[in-house]
Amino acid sequence: MTNRSVDEITDDRKLSDIERDALTEIANIGVSRAASSLRKMVDRQVLLSVPSVEVVTHQSAADLIGQRETDDLVAVTQAFSGAFDGRALLIFPQKNGIELTRAVLGADVSPDQISSMVEEALAETGNVILNGCVGTMANMLNQPLSMSLPTIKRGTGQELFTVQCSPPEQGLVLFFFINFAVEGRDIRGYIAMLMDVPSLAALKVLIGEFIARVMHDDLGNTGLTPAE
Amino acid sequence: MAINPDAESPESLAERLRLTLAVSGAAGAWEWNLSTNLISGDARFASMYNISAAQAVAGIAPATFVSIIHPHDQTRIRLAIGGVLRGAEVFSKEFRVNLADGSLRWLHARGRREAADSTHFNGVLVDVTEQKKVEERLRVAQTAGEVGTFEYIDGFGTATVSDQFCRLLGLHPATDLPVRSINALVHPDDTPIILGERNSGSMSEGRVEFRITRPDTQEVRWLTRKGEYVSDSDSKARRYSGVIYDITHSKLIEKKLLLLNETLEERVRERTLERDDIWRLSRDLLGIADARGVWTSVSPAWTRTLGWQQSELEGRTSHWLEDPAEKSHIEEMFTKTAFLHRLRTKDGSYRSLSWTIVPKEGLFYCVARDVTEELENARSLVEAEEQLRQSHKMEAIGQLTGGIAHDFNNLLTGITASLSLIQRRLKSGKLEDLDNFINAATTSARRAAALTHSMLAFSRRQSLDIKGQQINEILVGFEDMLRRSVSENIKLTMSLSADVWPALTDANQLANAILNLVINSRDALADGGEISVETFNVSLDANAAKSFKGMHAGDYVRICVSDTGSGMPAEVIGKAFDPFFTTKPIGQGTGLGLSMIYGFAKQCGGHVDIQSMVGRGTEVSLYLPRAALSEKIPATPAAASPVSRGRTETVLVVEDDPTVRLIITEVLDELGYKAIVAGDAHGALPHLKSNQPIHLLVTDVGLPQINGRELAEMARVYRPSLKVLFITGYTEKATIREDFLSPGMDLLTKPFELDALGAKIRELIDGDR
């Protein structure tokens, strides 16, 4: 996938194809854990997957969402710090957010109840997903990471990305596209990890280590040799 | 899928399956046991890995699973496997595999964990090679053709789009985009790309052009949308399948063409304006006339130059502006390309116009330049030249006056002094030697007469008595005078050819001319030398005649006066014949000599030629035409002949000057004629009408009221055979006497010798005897 915004980013901050593939798999592990947690929490079938990852500027991230979503957005946001610092956002179109809440809460909850519970449910759901995702990433990369409590933000993509980070021109966004499948409903959403350049560089190093482990350890650990 | 290993040999079964599956494209099933870390599969799976069905069921290691994957895709798949091993629940990857038969296939492996704690990962393996090829072709087609595709189902909020679709719109690649996001890019005046959301209408199946503003570059591009509605079998909703592509370049060219067209018009307009400017601003009169010369269009210069308004000029010819006294020039327009004529201005004056006419396609394109000033300038130049000439003439007259005064004073001194002496001698009674004084006075008076004659000759108003003459005889009779006029240190030679033809000339004037030439030569020989006078016959053919201006071929007598004197430079020769030109100081010559000779020679029908070189002398040749008569003609006596006496014939004398009248009467009386006198024509007519015998009418030409010529004509009415002798100081109309005189008439020029008068009278009265 070619992305102009990625092209604009200088080489040392750009992810290679392998790095992006690896990060996608790490994110997939993360959202899988989150899905597992959600399933336990709501006792419903929940599937989460990450088809692709981009590293883009704040503006590009805002554009990306702005082009795909014309409705106002709702985001669950949590700050994280550790080997890499930043802020994570789980973003849905507002309508999808309510739908997700409804799916998570179950059809037996009345609309009145839902509207009063939306914020809380969203924050909780978001917390599970972001924790699963970001926490797993730290785990996979063998790094400790702590996260703040979730807060809810509403607004356009532009507003979400410019408010969240400063100085925005130096920060980059790790942008995950997420597919939710809850009770047969498909809901799209996004995870954005706003990080500064040093944090991204640190992440790159960690990703490299992950790749090396997978490529050299996994098949070896199985005790099998490649086929002839 | 059930497998029966006993039915036939596993190899042949596997081969058959492989072939079947290869053509069917059916999916293979696989299961990943994470606890044993073995991946087992069905027959399709077995055929791909070129293993027996039994082996496939038993399972293969992930390393073996990865082994047939194309090297380019291996890392990606191994990373995905790593993800699965570490907890990822979903596996969905496309990758290429190198099969045992050497073929390359695209596979899509899709699987998921049953539950988070499950150790089994179930999935399907689908051969997507054909799908990939189609997708690739579509992608290439879209990329190469820069055609973006989209699908939209009526009523939906999003549309399915291709990457190229996103690229054309300047959007981040996506598979689905909200309709509002897509339409938001379109120029507000243009048709939206997608219609159908919230009953917003249907899309045209034809071509729709629209502008978008790319969100990534803010660039405005022109795109075209085209597509059609497809009815899906499984849904009642209409699905629109469409394409978009960029037409900015074509639009740009279109615009450029339009601009070019516009600027072409602009340029043509400018050129036209320039031409209009020429038409409007030209100082020249420009006009277009039809085949009849009627002006169809005239430029503003007409009004500026002539004062007439355009409306007054157009629709008719310019004949009405022509000077009625001049010939019309309208005709010339048809026949000439350039001519000059004058047109009247509104204030009544005339302007001279120089016309250039270019006929083309039945019309006349005319340009006229006002040359009035130029012509006036030329005229004043001529006038100025004339004035200059006049002032030269006045200067020359000053010279002449000085010369004449000098000559006349000398002559008058000779006459008055002689008369005083005669008077004194008479008083004292000393009558001896009176003749000397009388001769001296007479000589001076003759010289004065010769001088006035010269002046008349110069003005060509002298009356010449041109007739056939023996040139040698004239010269011989004149030789003494010539010799006396040169000093002792000059040798004068006369070399006269014996057989010289008679020539047409006036004897007195010829003598005068030769004398002049000899005197000129004498003046050029201040230190002595030779002068020679020669005569000979020459015959000029046409070529030879050409070298003398105004001379005709024929026989001539050439009289040549040459000297060994100082000669003349070329510029002096050039002016030698100019009247009043002289190299002598004021008071020493009139400058009439050579010009007089020239005039005289021309009057005789001849020519004068002058050859000279500084220090080598001068030669002047006088050419006189050969006379027709061949017999010897007696030369007119230069000296006085014995006075003819009258025989009592009656002579009527009409003369207004009493002194001259008295003298003539005295002479007639002395000669024995009977004289009747009258002061004018009126006094003379009664005598002429009377019966008294009158043998001769002697009349002055210049009489008051009725002049002598008219009187003679009247006299001839009463007396047709009456002889007439005219006496004149000079007569303009009598330059050549043959034109003036009828038979029985003659002319005597004042001043005249009494003897000459007597001889003429005798000659006339005796004429018809």
Side-chain angles (χ1 to χ4, degrees):
Chain A
M1 197 181 220
T2 310
N3 189 300
R4 284 175 56 90
S5 303
V6 172
D7 290 342
E8 286 160 10
I9 296 167
T10 50
D11 284 346
D12 60 320
R13 290 180 290 170
K14 204 157 61 174
L15 291 181
S16 70
D17 283 352
I18 292 178
E19 286 171 331
R20 199 161 57 219
D21 286 339
L23 191 58
T24 307
E25 296 311 329
I26 294 168
N28 261 317
I29 297 164
V31 296
S32 292
R33 299 236 171 121
S36 176
S37 304
L38 275 178
R39 273 196 298 274
K40 282 175 190 157
M41 195 171 88
V42 303
D43 195 22
R44 274 167 213 282
Q45 185 53 279
V46 177
L47 272 182
L48 291 172
S49 68
V50 177
S52 63
V53 179
E54 296 290 343
V55 177
V56 296
T57 61
H58 283 251
Q59 186 55 51
S60 290
D63 290 346
L64 263 175
I65 285 203
Q67 286 167 17
R68 285 163 190 255
E69 309 298 342
T70 49
D71 288 337
D72 264 3
L73 303 169
V74 59
V76 182
T77 169
Q78 286 180 279
F80 56 86
S81 58
F84 41 91
D85 299 336
R87 179 170 285 274
L89 289 90
L90 176 67
I91 304 165
F92 301 107
Q94 198 134 294
K95 233 190 290 176
N96 286 19
I98 296 167
E99 222 169 317
L100 176 69
T101 317
R102 189 192 310 252
V104 166
L105 296 174
D108 47 342
V109 182
S110 74
D112 292 350
Q113 286 174 302
I114 287 179
S115 63
S116 63
M117 293 166 73
V118 155
E119 296 258 323
E120 202 181 326
L122 259 182
E124 195 52 41
T125 311
N127 185 33
V128 171
I129 294 171
L130 289 176
N131 248 318
C133 193
V134 181
T136 304
M137 279 172 65
N139 237 351
M140 283 297 115
L141 303 168
N142 295 327
Q143 293 293 324
L145 193 85
S146 63
M147 292 187 74
S148 70
L149 287 173
T151 53
I152 302 286
K153 292 272 177 190
R154 291 175 205 275
T156 62
Q158 195 73 35
E159 287 160 351
L160 292 179
F161 285 99
T162 48
V163 168
Q164 291 300 325
C165 188
S166 63
E169 64 275 7
Q170 282 190 359
L172 290 170
V173 180
L174 211 54
F175 204 87
F176 303 87
F177 297 87
I178 318 173
N179 290 325
F180 290 76
V182 184
E183 290 282 285
R185 293 167 197 255
D186 285 325
I187 295 167
R188 61 178 187 278
Y190 313 89
I191 291 174
M193 289 173 68
L194 283 58
M195 301 162 79
D196 56 13
V197 176
S199 293
L200 192 72
L203 183 64
K204 278 183 76 166
V205 171
L206 298 173
I207 290 169
E209 287 170 6
F210 173 79
I211 294 167
R213 256 197 326 279
V214 170
M215 299 307 286
H216 296 103
D217 301 351
D218 284 9
L219 299 180
N221 286 347
T222 62
L224 295 172
T225 53
E228 66 279 342
Chain B
M1 198 179 273
I3 298 163
N4 184 359
D6 299 323
E8 49 191 307
S9 72
E11 287 76 15
S12 61
L13 178 71
E15 181 59 27
R16 200 158 59 84
L17 262 171
R18 197 159 38 235
L19 288 169
T20 312
L21 290 169
V23 291
S24 71
W30 56 274
E31 188 189 74
W32 190 346
N33 187 335
L34 293 171
S35 56
T36 60
N37 204 16
L38 286 175
I39 302 164
S40 53
D42 60 8
R44 169 70 171 134
F45 185 85
S47 73
M48 285 173 187
Y49 282 88
N50 200 24
I51 52 175
S52 68
Q55 277 178 304
V57 170
I60 57 169
T64 312
F65 177 82
V66 171
S67 66
I68 65 166
I69 293 176
H70 192 277
H72 282 168
D73 298 336
Q74 271 200 14
T75 314
R76 192 160 52 86
I77 300 306
R78 285 172 70 171
L79 282 170
I81 291 169
V84 170
L85 291 174
R86 285 165 180 80
E89 292 183 335
V90 178
F91 182 92
S92 178
K93 297 290 170 193
E94 284 182 343
F95 51 89
R96 285 160 291 183
V97 292
N98 289 307
L99 296 185
D101 62 1
S103 65
L104 182 84
R105 308 297 292 180
W106 270 99
L107 298 182
H108 185 189
R110 210 162 51 223
R112 53 180 275 219
R113 213 187 284 257
E114 287 302 323
D117 50 356
S118 171
T119 54
H120 284 71
F121 218 92
N122 296 320
V124 290
L125 199 60
V126 183
D127 187 332
V128 293
T129 309
E130 292 311 311
Q131 191 188 330
K132 271 283 181 187
K133 278 184 185 167
V134 172
E135 275 177 17
E136 186 63 15
R137 275 202 293 273
L138 188 62
R139 192 188 62 77
V140 169
Q142 289 201 18
T143 312
E146 296 191 329
V147 175
T149 57
F150 70 97
E151 281 194 346
Y152 175 72
I153 298 167
D154 267 0
F156 274 55
T158 57
T160 309
V161 299
S162 71
D163 283 359
Q164 187 64 35
F165 181 94
C166 299
R167 275 197 285 276
L168 282 169
L169 294 181
L171 296 171
H172 293 279
T175 50
D176 297 282
L177 284 173
V179 171
R180 283 164 67 187
S181 298
I182 296 170
N183 286 345
L185 307 176
V186 178
H187 193 280
D189 297 341
D190 294 351
T191 314
I193 302 173
I194 294 172
L195 293 170
E197 196 190 16
R198 294 183 192 119
N199 301 319
S200 59
S202 296
M203 278 175 269
S204 146
E205 297 201 343
R207 185 192 300 264
V208 175
E209 291 180 355
F210 53 90
R211 282 162 292 176
I212 57 147
T213 305
R214 287 180 67 118
D216 52 351
T217 57
Q218 302 304 315
E219 189 185 352
V220 174
R221 308 283 302 180
W222 275 95
L223 300 181
T224 279
R225 182 202 72 205
K226 208 167 186 286
E228 55 189 56
Y229 281 100
V230 181
S231 290
D232 282 324
S233 52
D234 58 343
S235 164
K236 281 187 181 173
R238 289 195 307 162
R239 186 165 57 90
Y240 188 91
S241 184
V243 295
I244 59 167
Y245 51 91
D246 197 302
I247 54 163
T248 311
H249 189 61
S250 325
K251 280 280 177 190
L252 214 68
I253 288 170
E254 198 178 294
K255 199 174 168 188
K256 270 186 193 164
L257 270 172
L258 266 168
L259 199 74
L260 210 67
N261 250 331
E262 278 169 19
T263 52
L264 187 70
E265 277 175 24
E266 178 68 17
R267 274 186 226 151
V268 168
R269 213 168 60 80
E270 275 174 17
R271 289 287 297 277
T272 312
L273 268 178
E274 279 170 24
R275 288 185 191 170
D276 281 358
D277 281 349
I278 291 172
W279 179 266
R280 282 191 302 107
L281 304 175
S282 175
R283 267 184 53 222
D284 292 347
L285 279 61
L286 310 177
I288 302 166
D290 68 10
R292 294 167 300 150
V294 173
W295 295 110
T296 58
S297 184
V298 296
S299 71
W302 285 72
T303 309
R304 288 195 292 273
T305 306
L306 300 176
W308 303 104
Q309 291 304 310
Q310 228 162 313
S311 55
E312 294 173 288
L313 296 160
E314 287 172 358
R316 50 173 161 173
T317 69
S318 43
H319 179 62
W320 65 288
L321 292 174
E322 292 184 322
D323 188 342
E326 287 180 6
K327 131 177 196 294
S328 171
H329 287 260
I330 304 302
E331 284 297 319
E332 294 192 55
M333 190 184 275
F334 309 122
T335 54
K336 289 189 178 177
T337 53
F339 59 87
L340 191 77
H341 85 154
R342 303 194 310 144
L343 290 182
R344 196 171 73 249
T345 66
K346 200 154 192 168
D347 62 23
S349 63
Y350 281 89
R351 304 298 293 182
S352 298
L353 303 172
S354 170
W355 287 87
T356 306
I357 312 283
V358 180
K360 195 185 170 193
E361 290 160 11
L363 292 174
F364 294 97
Y365 293 84
C366 311
V367 180
R369 174 152 295 185
D370 185 355
V371 293
T372 314
E373 266 78 38
E374 282 92 327
L375 289 181
E376 274 172 11
N377 289 345
R379 203 171 299 136
S380 40
L381 185 68
V382 168
E383 277 170 18
E385 281 173 357
E386 186 54 45
Q387 279 169 8
L388 189 66
R389 263 197 293 277
Q390 185 61 29
S391 74
H392 282 159
K393 205 167 178 177
M394 293 310 288
E395 189 185 314
I397 286 168
Q399 178 114 29
L400 175 69
T401 312
I404 291 170
H406 173 264
D407 288 356
F408 261 100
N409 282 337
N410 282 345
L411 298 171
L412 289 173
T413 306
I415 293 165
T416 50
S418 298
L419 289 174
S420 308
L421 285 169
I422 290 164
Q423 204 167 27
R424 224 178 287 164
R425 289 285 181 100
L426 285 173
K427 275 183 185 168
S428 59
K430 289 182 180 175
L431 296 179
E432 68 276 18
D433 297 334
L434 269 183
D435 271 2
N436 286 338
F437 301 113
I438 291 166
N439 283 341
T442 307
T443 303
S444 289
R446 278 180 184 159
R447 281 178 59 202
L451 183 61
T452 53
H453 221 94
S454 293
M455 288 170 68
L456 290 170
F458 154 67
S459 67
R460 298 199 195 172
R461 279 166 179 164
Q462 69 175 329
S463 261
L464 292 181
D465 187 7
I466 295 170
K467 51 191 176 191
Q469 305 273 7
Q470 292 299 346
I471 304 301
N472 281 357
E473 286 176 20
I474 295 170
L475 292 176
V476 168
F478 196 46
E479 192 177 343
D480 273 351
M481 191 175 171
L482 291 179
R483 289 196 187 284
R484 272 200 300 274
S485 64
V486 300
S487 37
E488 292 79 11
N489 59 349
I490 291 168
K491 184 188 172 197
L492 178 76
T493 319
M494 300 278 278
S495 320
L496 308 178
S497 300
D499 57 348
V500 159
W501 298 314
L504 287 171
T505 190
D506 177 298
N508 285 327
Q509 285 307 312
L510 177 62
N512 207 348
I514 300 302
L515 178 61
N516 256 298
L517 291 174
V518 169
I519 286 168
N520 277 345
S521 289
R522 179 201 69 192
D523 293 344
L525 294 167
D527 302 325
E530 287 183 30
I531 297 174
S532 102
V533 177
E534 298 158 89
T535 59
F536 36 91
N537 294 333
V538 287
S539 292
L540 298 178
D541 59 15
N543 273 339
K546 257 185 216 166
S547 57
F548 301 108
K549 197 178 166 190
M551 220 169 150
H552 303 288
D555 292 336
Y556 292 90
V557 172
R558 178 180 169 195
I559 307 155
C560 183
V561 178
S562 56
D563 63 63
T564 57
S566 50
M568 289 184 274
E571 62 268 23
V572 175
I573 298 173
K575 291 196 277 186
F577 292 129
D578 288 357
F580 310 121
F581 179 81
T582 178
T583 56
K584 297 172 186 172
I586 289 180
Q588 293 197 13
T590 56
L592 283 173
L594 276 173
S595 91
M596 185 213 77
I597 293 165
Y598 182 81
F600 158 69
K602 284 291 167 191
Q603 275 182 301
C604 294
H607 189 74
V608 180
D609 178 47
I610 181 163
Q611 301 289 331
S612 183
M613 275 177 76
V614 175
R616 299 283 299 274
T618 303
E619 178 190 280
V620 180
S621 299
L622 191 58
Y623 291 83
L624 296 174
R626 181 181 180 179
L629 57 161
S630 55
E631 79 274 18
K632 288 229 169 186
I633 298 161
T636 303
S641 57
V643 172
S644 313
R645 298 211 40 97
R647 291 181 284 271
T648 69
E649 286 95 344
T650 307
V651 175
L652 173 60
V653 178
V654 188
E655 170 61 65
D656 59 335
D657 187 318
T659 312
V660 178
R661 193 166 64 226
L662 178 70
I663 290 167
I664 294 171
T665 312
E666 273 302 314
V667 168
L668 288 172
D669 194 40
E670 198 174 292
L671 291 177
Y673 296 102
K674 184 187 173 203
I676 311 166
V677 289
D680 57 17
H682 294 293
L685 280 171
H687 298 290
L688 290 166
K689 286 177 187 170
S690 72
N691 291 327
Q692 60 176 308
I694 297 173
H695 297 92
L696 177 69
L697 168 66
V698 175
T699 177
D700 187 18
V701 176
L703 293 175
Q705 293 171 336
I706 300 170
N707 68 31
R709 176 90 184 98
E710 289 160 340
L711 176 65
E713 278 176 19
M714 289 173 179
R716 282 280 172 105
V717 171
Y718 306 112
R719 298 161 190 264
S721 58
L722 181 66
K723 306 285 170 49
V724 181
L725 176 62
F726 294 107
I727 301 165
T728 180
Y730 90 86
T731 171
E732 194 174 2
K733 289 173 185 167
T735 318
I736 302 296
R737 59 178 63 204
E738 279 75 19
D739 298 340
F740 181 74
L741 301 178
S742 309
M745 293 185 179
D746 210 334
L747 184 80
L748 190 65
T749 318
K750 290 182 195 169
F752 50 82
E753 300 281 338
L754 292 181
D755 292 349
L757 175 66
K760 277 280 183 208
I761 290 168
R762 189 72 262 157
E763 192 183 323
L764 275 167
I765 290 174
D766 293 348
D768 50 359
R769 280 186 192 155

